[in-house]
Amino acid sequence: MGAKINVSIVVIAIYSLYYGYMSTARWSAIKRRRLRAKRAKESGDLETLRNSSPEEQFAVLVVGGRFVNPFPEYREQGILEFIVWKIVEVIRWNPRAGVPRDKALIAELLPLYRPDFEVLFDTDSVTGPGGSDLKTESNPELLPSGNASPIGLTSSVTSAVYYSSDTGSSTNIQLDSSTLADSWTPISQRYVMSARIPAGSHDAHSLSDTSSNTTSSGPHSPTADETATRPIIPTGMPPRDERLTVTWIGQSCIFIQCHGINFLTDPLFCARIINSYIGPKRLRPSPCQLEHLPRIDFVLVSHDHPDHLEDDTIRKIGNSAMWIVPMGLRRYLARKGIYRVAELKWWDKIPLPGKERDGWEIACTPSMHWSGRHLYDSNRTLWCSFLILHNTRPVIFHAGDTGYSAELFTGISQVYGTGCEVALVPCGAYSPRWHLQPQHVDPAECVKIMIDLGAKRLVGVHWATFILSDEHYLEPKQKLEQEAVAVGLQDAVWVAEFGRTIVVPYRSADEAGSGSDDDAVFRLPDARVSGVGRLRALEGRHTLIW
């Protein structure tokens, strides 16, 4: 018994020394960087000021072989704190986060919407289904994802897949196309209509099987059957090249379209986080599956936590898309057979390949968080946020997971400019604050990020998907809406709903011309927005135009 106690004391002592070293080294680096920035401002020397820019002050910081946060607001959280918090979660008797046991009530309060596939599959391209270019000799990097036809209205009876939230089973049901014309009908409380897939379409495995559709002879021409399934686009919808679409799948998984380029962020479609049998379960099923979406061109992964990077989706996407990830994740993806990877550190910026994507770039920007898929690999890989840029201007900001640091987000806007069209920022999983404040923003901080970035619109995500924290499961939506009203931004803030597609009219500065309404102007610090109208639903649909 005495020997066991002695071993425990030694382990705790070693851990305490290591924890103390990491905290001291991190704070020393922060102080050195802040001192350089202060001296630079006092000197006024241009070269010195350049060396103390946000890129220098918040450059990647490594201590003891692990990435650490270079932000003064962050507090190191050791494994003991994590274990204590988890023990408290397990032993509590009351239902966590106020989630009712009545599934019908949950379904009523958290409705699922069918993604607007008519809009998402709209394309003027004839290079392949979904508008994605196939591999050619002149552009070998772009690989096809399969030969699946676009999902759209047909004149024949169409198959729909319904998932029962009560039994967890799925049923194929034949539906007449006339019943599918009203795209944005909320899904019933007990069943989820995930998609309509025309007969002959390939299954999920075709998304990662590129060999059957690879060609070097030129672009693919649509067949008569494919042409017949062209989607019907609603009246009032901006042209494909003059709009952005945002469709929330859940957590931080979002399907984004920019000028016909398809992005998927932090991929996650599964019912449970860890695997099919254990781990936190979704409050509501995914509004669609990966194979129901248009072909993915780029996958943006903010960090490697299981609720932001799902192994099954990695397998399905495979090398059909380019993966853009923070430092350290290339090795993990390589073990899964993924080689089309761009690994970035904070402040790196890469252009998107392809002539039709000229002017489009991805910037890897800092966030205040941590990484790790297991207890033993914490902070072995980097975490980040992303900015999608067009002609050097910010278009979409994907925050991933982050705590709040005013200097960080004002620094991002200082480097890349203000006027971001849409900021996708987490608004849930923030309580208890004593534990989660350094890593997850609350709704008030969510609005602060919007103001710091000078973003035109804010969409709150990362809420009510899984129960991973203590706040009431509906509180993030309520509080974010209240915070938006408090600062006069109620028309510029929206809390995402499962599956609901938001359309943002967008034209580049060159297309819109100087001084047009498309180029919204911000008056900081009061952050009132001009040029951004209220959200409105298309007639007869639930698709939102912003």
Side-chain angles (χ1 to χ4, degrees), residues 26-27 30 34 54 57-58 69-75 346-347 366-369 383 385 397 399 401-414 425 433 436-442 444-453:
R26 186 182 76 89
W27 268 107
I30 291 173
R34 292 173 72 85
Q57 186 174 351
F58 300 128
N69 282 286
F71 314 108
E73 295 89 347
Y74 189 79
R75 176 178 62 82
W346 294 344
W347 308 111
S367 65
M368 193 168 81
H369 200 57
W383 49 94
S385 54
F397 177 71
D401 263 349
T402 186
Y404 180 71
S405 167
E407 289 183 300
L408 164 59
F409 296 106
T410 55
I412 291 175
S413 64
Q414 180 182 334
V425 181
R433 298 307 284 156
L436 291 174
Q437 185 171 8
Q439 50 187 295
H440 287 165
V441 294
D442 62 18
E445 293 168 332
C446 187
V447 173
K448 288 180 181 178
I449 289 176
M450 176 192 183
I451 295 173
D452 293 344
L453 292 173

Coordinates of all heavy atoms in Angstrom, one line a residue, residues 26-27 30 34 54 57-58 69-75 346-347 366-369 383 385 397 399 401-414 425 433 436-442 444-453:
R26 N 5.1 29.3 -21.6 CA 4.1 30.0 -22.4 C 4.0 31.4 -22.0 O 4.0 32.3 -22.9 CB 2.8 29.3 -22.3 CG 1.7 29.8 -23.2 CD 0.4 29.1 -23.0 NE -0.3 29.5 -21.8 CZ -1.1 30.5 -21.7 NH1 -1.4 31.2 -22.8 NH2 -1.7 30.9 -20.6
W27 N 3.9 31.7 -20.7 CA 3.8 33.1 -20.3 C 5.0 33.9 -20.6 O 5.0 35.1 -21.0 CB 3.5 33.2 -18.8 CG 2.0 33.2 -18.6 CD1 1.2 32.2 -18.1 CD2 1.1 34.3 -18.9 NE1 -0.1 32.6 -18.0 CE2 -0.2 33.9 -18.5 CE3 1.3 35.6 -19.4 CZ2 -1.3 34.7 -18.7 CZ3 0.1 36.4 -19.6 CH2 -1.1 35.9 -19.2
I30 N 4.8 34.9 -24.3 CA 3.7 35.9 -24.5 C 4.3 37.3 -24.0 O 4.1 38.3 -24.7 CB 2.5 35.6 -23.7 CG1 1.8 34.4 -24.3 CG2 1.5 36.8 -23.6 CD1 0.6 33.8 -23.5
R34 N 4.7 40.6 -26.4 CA 4.0 41.9 -26.0 C 5.0 43.0 -25.8 O 4.7 44.2 -26.1 CB 3.1 41.6 -24.8 CG 2.0 40.7 -25.1 CD 1.2 40.3 -23.8 NE 0.4 41.5 -23.3 CZ -0.8 41.8 -23.7 NH1 -1.4 41.0 -24.6 NH2 -1.5 42.8 -23.2
P54 N 0.3 41.5 -35.9 CA -0.4 40.3 -35.4 C 0.2 39.0 -35.8 O 0.2 38.0 -35.1 CB -1.8 40.5 -35.9 CG -2.0 42.0 -36.1 CD -0.6 42.4 -36.5
Q57 N 3.0 38.6 -33.3 CA 2.6 38.5 -31.9 C 1.8 37.2 -31.7 O 1.9 36.6 -30.6 CB 1.7 39.7 -31.6 CG 1.3 39.7 -30.1 CD 0.5 41.0 -29.8 OE1 0.4 41.9 -30.6 NE2 0.0 41.0 -28.6
F58 N 1.1 36.7 -32.7 CA 0.3 35.5 -32.6 C 0.7 34.4 -33.6 O -0.1 33.7 -34.2 CB -1.2 35.8 -32.8 CG -1.8 36.8 -31.8 CD1 -2.5 37.9 -32.2 CD2 -1.6 36.6 -30.4 CE1 -3.0 38.8 -31.3 CE2 -2.0 37.6 -29.5 CZ -2.7 38.7 -30.0
N69 N -1.2 28.0 -26.7 CA -1.9 29.3 -27.1 C -1.0 30.5 -26.7 O -0.7 30.7 -25.5 CB -3.2 29.3 -26.4 CG -4.3 28.4 -27.1 OD1 -4.8 28.8 -28.1 ND2 -4.6 27.3 -26.4
P70 N -0.7 31.4 -27.6 CA 0.0 32.6 -27.3 C -0.9 33.8 -26.9 O -0.5 34.9 -27.2 CB 0.7 32.9 -28.7 CG -0.2 32.4 -29.7 CD -0.9 31.2 -29.1
F71 N -2.0 33.5 -26.3 CA -3.0 34.5 -26.0 C -3.0 34.7 -24.4 O -3.2 33.7 -23.7 CB -4.3 34.2 -26.5 CG -4.3 33.7 -27.9 CD1 -4.6 32.4 -28.2 CD2 -4.1 34.6 -28.9 CE1 -4.6 31.9 -29.5 CE2 -4.1 34.1 -30.3 CZ -4.3 32.8 -30.5
P72 N -2.9 35.9 -23.9 CA -2.9 36.1 -22.5 C -4.2 35.7 -21.8 O -4.3 35.3 -20.6 CB -2.7 37.6 -22.3 CG -3.0 38.2 -23.6 CD -2.7 37.2 -24.7
E73 N -5.3 35.6 -22.6 CA -6.6 35.3 -22.0 C -6.7 33.8 -21.7 O -7.6 33.3 -21.0 CB -7.8 35.7 -23.0 CG -7.9 37.2 -23.1 CD -7.1 37.7 -24.3 OE1 -6.2 37.0 -24.8 OE2 -7.3 38.8 -24.7
Y74 N -5.8 33.0 -22.3 CA -5.9 31.5 -22.2 C -5.4 31.1 -20.9 O -4.4 31.6 -20.4 CB -5.2 30.8 -23.3 CG -5.5 29.3 -23.4 CD1 -6.6 28.8 -23.9 CD2 -4.5 28.4 -22.9 CE1 -6.9 27.5 -23.9 CE2 -4.7 27.1 -22.9 CZ -5.9 26.6 -23.4 OH -6.2 25.2 -23.4
R75 N -6.0 30.1 -20.3 CA -5.5 29.5 -19.1 C -5.2 28.0 -19.3 O -6.1 27.3 -19.9 CB -6.5 29.6 -18.0 CG -6.2 28.9 -16.7 CD -7.2 29.1 -15.6 NE -8.5 28.6 -16.0 CZ -8.9 27.3 -15.8 NH1 -8.0 26.4 -15.3 NH2 -10.1 26.9 -16.1
W346 N -0.6 29.0 -38.8 CA -1.3 30.3 -38.7 C -0.7 31.3 -39.6 O 0.5 31.4 -39.7 CB -1.3 30.8 -37.3 CG -2.1 29.9 -36.3 CD1 -3.1 29.0 -36.6 CD2 -2.1 30.0 -34.9 NE1 -3.6 28.4 -35.5 CE2 -3.0 29.0 -34.4 CE3 -1.3 30.7 -34.0 CZ2 -3.2 28.8 -33.0 CZ3 -1.5 30.5 -32.6 CH2 -2.4 29.5 -32.2
W347 N -1.6 32.0 -40.3 CA -1.2 33.1 -41.2 C -0.7 32.7 -42.5 O -0.4 33.5 -43.4 CB -0.2 34.1 -40.6 CG -0.6 34.6 -39.2 CD1 0.0 34.3 -38.0 CD2 -1.7 35.5 -38.9 NE1 -0.6 34.9 -37.0 CE2 -1.7 35.6 -37.4 CE3 -2.7 36.1 -39.6 CZ2 -2.6 36.4 -36.8 CZ3 -3.6 36.9 -38.9 CH2 -3.6 37.1 -37.6
P366 N -5.4 32.2 -36.6 CA -5.4 31.6 -35.3 C -6.7 31.4 -34.6 O -7.7 32.1 -35.0 CB -4.5 32.6 -34.5 CG -3.8 33.4 -35.5 CD -4.7 33.5 -36.7
S367 N -6.8 30.6 -33.7 CA -7.9 30.5 -32.8 C -7.4 30.1 -31.4 O -6.3 29.6 -31.3 CB -9.0 29.4 -33.3 OG -8.4 28.1 -33.2
M368 N -8.2 30.2 -30.4 CA -7.8 29.9 -29.0 C -8.5 28.7 -28.6 O -9.7 28.7 -28.1 CB -8.1 31.1 -28.1 CG -7.5 31.0 -26.7 SD -7.6 32.5 -25.8 CE -9.2 32.4 -25.1
H369 N -7.8 27.6 -28.7 CA -8.5 26.3 -28.4 C -7.4 25.3 -28.0 O -6.3 25.6 -27.5 CB -9.3 25.8 -29.6 CG -10.3 24.8 -29.3 ND1 -11.3 25.0 -28.4 CD2 -10.5 23.6 -29.8 CE1 -12.1 23.9 -28.3 NE2 -11.6 23.0 -29.2
W383 N -4.5 23.8 -34.0 CA -5.9 24.2 -34.2 C -6.0 25.5 -34.9 O -5.0 26.3 -34.9 CB -6.7 24.2 -32.9 CG -5.9 25.1 -31.9 CD1 -6.1 26.4 -31.6 CD2 -4.8 24.6 -31.0 NE1 -5.2 26.8 -30.6 CE2 -4.4 25.7 -30.2 CE3 -4.2 23.4 -30.9 CZ2 -3.4 25.6 -29.3 CZ3 -3.2 23.3 -29.9 CH2 -2.8 24.4 -29.2
S385 N -8.6 28.7 -37.3 CA -9.8 29.1 -38.0 C -9.4 29.4 -39.4 O -8.3 29.3 -39.8 CB -10.4 30.4 -37.3 OG -9.4 31.4 -37.3
F397 N -15.7 33.6 -42.9 CA -14.9 33.3 -41.8 C -15.4 32.0 -41.1 O -16.6 32.0 -40.7 CB -14.8 34.4 -40.8 CG -13.9 34.1 -39.5 CD1 -12.6 34.0 -39.6 CD2 -14.5 33.9 -38.3 CE1 -11.8 33.7 -38.5 CE2 -13.8 33.7 -37.2 CZ -12.4 33.5 -37.3
A399 N -14.8 29.9 -37.8 CA -14.1 30.0 -36.5 C -13.7 28.6 -36.0 O -12.7 28.6 -35.2 CB -14.9 30.7 -35.5
D401 N -13.6 26.1 -33.4 CA -13.8 26.2 -31.9 C -12.8 27.3 -31.4 O -11.6 27.3 -31.8 CB -13.5 24.9 -31.2 CG -14.8 24.1 -30.9 OD1 -15.9 24.7 -31.1 OD2 -14.7 23.0 -30.5
T402 N -13.2 28.1 -30.5 CA -12.3 29.2 -30.0 C -12.8 29.8 -28.8 O -14.1 29.9 -28.6 CB -12.1 30.3 -31.1 OG1 -11.1 31.2 -30.6 CG2 -13.3 31.0 -31.4
G403 N -11.9 30.2 -27.9 CA -12.2 31.2 -26.8 C -12.1 32.6 -27.4 O -11.7 32.8 -28.5
Y404 N -12.3 33.6 -26.5 CA -12.3 35.0 -27.0 C -11.1 35.7 -26.6 O -10.6 35.7 -25.4 CB -13.5 35.7 -26.4 CG -13.5 37.2 -26.9 CD1 -13.8 37.5 -28.2 CD2 -13.2 38.2 -26.0 CE1 -13.8 38.8 -28.7 CE2 -13.2 39.5 -26.5 CZ -13.5 39.8 -27.8 OH -13.5 41.1 -28.3
S405 N -10.5 36.3 -27.6 CA -9.3 37.2 -27.4 C -9.5 38.4 -28.3 O -9.5 38.3 -29.5 CB -8.0 36.5 -27.7 OG -7.0 37.5 -27.8
A406 N -9.7 39.6 -27.7 CA -10.0 40.8 -28.5 C -8.8 41.1 -29.5 O -9.0 41.4 -30.7 CB -10.3 42.0 -27.6
E407 N -7.6 41.0 -29.0 CA -6.4 41.2 -29.8 C -6.4 40.3 -31.0 O -5.9 40.6 -32.1 CB -5.2 41.2 -29.0 CG -5.0 42.3 -28.0 CD -3.7 42.2 -27.2 OE1 -3.5 41.2 -26.5 OE2 -2.9 43.1 -27.3
L408 N -6.8 39.0 -30.8 CA -6.7 38.0 -31.8 C -7.6 38.4 -33.0 O -7.2 38.5 -34.1 CB -7.1 36.7 -31.3 CG -7.5 35.6 -32.3 CD1 -6.3 35.3 -33.2 CD2 -7.9 34.3 -31.6
F409 N -8.9 38.7 -32.7 CA -9.8 38.9 -33.8 C -9.7 40.3 -34.5 O -9.9 40.4 -35.7 CB -11.2 38.6 -33.3 CG -11.4 37.2 -32.9 CD1 -11.5 36.8 -31.6 CD2 -11.5 36.2 -33.9 CE1 -11.6 35.5 -31.2 CE2 -11.6 34.8 -33.5 CZ -11.7 34.5 -32.2
T410 N -9.3 41.3 -33.7 CA -9.0 42.5 -34.3 C -7.7 42.4 -35.1 O -7.6 43.1 -36.2 CB -8.9 43.7 -33.3 OG1 -7.9 43.3 -32.3 CG2 -10.2 43.9 -32.6
G411 N -6.8 41.5 -34.7 CA -5.6 41.3 -35.4 C -5.9 40.6 -36.8 O -5.3 41.0 -37.8
I412 N -6.8 39.7 -36.8 CA -7.2 39.1 -38.1 C -7.8 40.1 -39.0 O -7.4 40.1 -40.2 CB -8.2 37.9 -37.8 CG1 -7.6 36.8 -37.1 CG2 -8.8 37.4 -39.2 CD1 -8.5 35.7 -36.7
S413 N -8.7 41.0 -38.5 CA -9.2 42.0 -39.4 C -8.2 43.0 -39.8 O -8.2 43.6 -40.9 CB -10.4 42.7 -38.7 OG -10.0 43.4 -37.6
Q414 N -7.2 43.2 -39.0 CA -6.1 44.1 -39.3 C -5.2 43.6 -40.5 O -4.8 44.3 -41.4 CB -5.2 44.4 -38.1 CG -4.0 45.3 -38.4 CD -3.1 45.4 -37.1 OE1 -3.6 45.3 -36.0 NE2 -1.8 45.7 -37.3
V425 N -19.6 31.3 -36.5 CA -18.9 31.3 -35.1 C -19.7 30.5 -34.2 O -20.9 30.5 -34.1 CB -18.8 32.8 -34.6 CG1 -18.1 32.8 -33.2 CG2 -18.1 33.7 -35.6
R433 N -18.4 28.2 -17.1 CA -17.4 29.2 -17.6 C -16.0 29.0 -16.9 O -15.0 29.3 -17.5 CB -17.8 30.6 -17.4 CG -19.1 31.0 -18.1 CD -19.0 30.7 -19.6 NE -18.2 31.6 -20.3 CZ -17.5 31.3 -21.5 NH1 -17.6 30.1 -22.0 NH2 -16.8 32.2 -22.1
L436 N -14.7 26.2 -19.3 CA -14.8 26.3 -20.8 C -14.5 27.7 -21.3 O -14.3 27.8 -22.5 CB -16.1 25.8 -21.2 CG -16.4 24.3 -21.1 CD1 -17.9 24.0 -21.4 CD2 -15.5 23.5 -21.9
Q437 N -14.4 28.7 -20.5 CA -14.1 30.0 -21.0 C -12.9 30.1 -21.9 O -12.9 30.8 -22.9 CB -14.1 31.1 -19.9 CG -13.9 32.5 -20.4 CD -14.1 33.5 -19.3 OE1 -14.2 33.2 -18.1 NE2 -14.2 34.8 -19.6
P438 N -11.8 29.5 -21.5 CA -10.6 29.6 -22.4 C -10.7 29.0 -23.7 O -9.9 29.3 -24.6 CB -9.5 28.9 -21.5 CG -10.0 28.9 -20.2 CD -11.5 28.7 -20.3
Q439 N -11.7 28.1 -23.9 CA -11.7 27.3 -25.2 C -13.0 27.5 -26.0 O -13.0 27.2 -27.2 CB -11.5 25.9 -24.9 CG -12.4 25.3 -23.8 CD -12.1 23.9 -23.4 OE1 -12.2 23.0 -24.3 NE2 -11.6 23.6 -22.2
H440 N -14.1 28.0 -25.4 CA -15.4 28.2 -26.1 C -16.0 29.5 -25.8 O -16.1 29.9 -24.6 CB -16.4 27.1 -25.7 CG -16.1 25.7 -26.3 ND1 -16.7 24.6 -25.9 CD2 -15.2 25.4 -27.3 CE1 -16.2 23.5 -26.5 NE2 -15.3 24.0 -27.4
V441 N -16.3 30.3 -26.8 CA -17.0 31.6 -26.6 C -18.4 31.4 -26.2 O -19.1 30.4 -26.5 CB -16.9 32.5 -27.8 CG1 -15.5 32.9 -28.1 CG2 -17.6 31.8 -29.0
D442 N -19.0 32.4 -25.4 CA -20.4 32.4 -25.1 C -21.1 33.3 -26.1 O -20.4 34.0 -27.0 CB -20.7 32.8 -23.7 CG -20.2 34.2 -23.4 OD1 -20.0 35.0 -24.3 OD2 -20.0 34.5 -22.2
A444 N -22.4 36.3 -26.0 CA -21.9 37.7 -26.0 C -20.5 37.8 -26.7 O -20.3 38.8 -27.4 CB -21.8 38.2 -24.5
E445 N -19.7 36.9 -26.4 CA -18.3 36.9 -27.1 C -18.5 36.6 -28.5 O -17.7 37.1 -29.4 CB -17.4 35.9 -26.4 CG -17.1 36.3 -24.9 CD -16.4 35.2 -24.2 OE1 -16.6 34.0 -24.5 OE2 -15.6 35.5 -23.2
C446 N -19.4 35.8 -28.9 CA -19.7 35.5 -30.3 C -20.0 36.8 -31.1 O -19.4 37.0 -32.2 CB -20.9 34.6 -30.4 SG -21.3 33.9 -32.0
V447 N -20.8 37.7 -30.5 CA -21.1 39.0 -31.1 C -19.9 39.9 -31.2 O -19.6 40.6 -32.1 CB -22.3 39.7 -30.4 CG1 -22.5 41.1 -31.0 CG2 -23.6 38.9 -30.6
K448 N -19.1 39.8 -30.1 CA -17.8 40.6 -30.1 C -16.9 40.2 -31.2 O -16.2 41.0 -31.8 CB -17.1 40.4 -28.7 CG -17.8 41.1 -27.5 CD -17.0 40.8 -26.3 CE -17.7 41.5 -25.1 NZ -16.9 41.2 -23.8
I449 N -16.8 38.9 -31.5 CA -16.0 38.4 -32.6 C -16.5 39.0 -33.9 O -15.7 39.5 -34.8 CB -16.0 36.9 -32.7 CG1 -15.2 36.3 -31.5 CG2 -15.4 36.4 -34.0 CD1 -15.3 34.8 -31.5
M450 N -17.8 39.1 -34.1 CA -18.3 39.7 -35.3 C -17.9 41.1 -35.4 O -17.5 41.6 -36.5 CB -19.9 39.6 -35.3 CG -20.6 40.3 -36.4 SD -22.3 40.4 -36.2 CE -22.8 41.2 -37.7
I451 N -18.0 41.9 -34.3 CA -17.6 43.3 -34.3 C -16.1 43.4 -34.6 O -15.7 44.3 -35.3 CB -18.1 43.9 -33.0 CG1 -19.6 43.9 -32.9 CG2 -17.5 45.3 -32.9 CD1 -20.1 44.4 -31.6
D452 N -15.3 42.6 -33.9 CA -13.9 42.7 -34.1 C -13.4 42.4 -35.5 O -12.5 43.1 -36.0 CB -13.2 41.7 -33.1 CG -13.3 42.0 -31.7 OD1 -13.7 43.2 -31.4 OD2 -13.1 41.2 -30.8
L453 N -14.1 41.5 -36.1 CA -13.8 41.1 -37.5 C -14.3 42.2 -38.5 O -13.9 42.2 -39.6 CB -14.3 39.8 -37.9 CG -13.7 38.5 -37.2 CD1 -14.5 37.3 -37.6 CD2 -12.3 38.4 -37.6

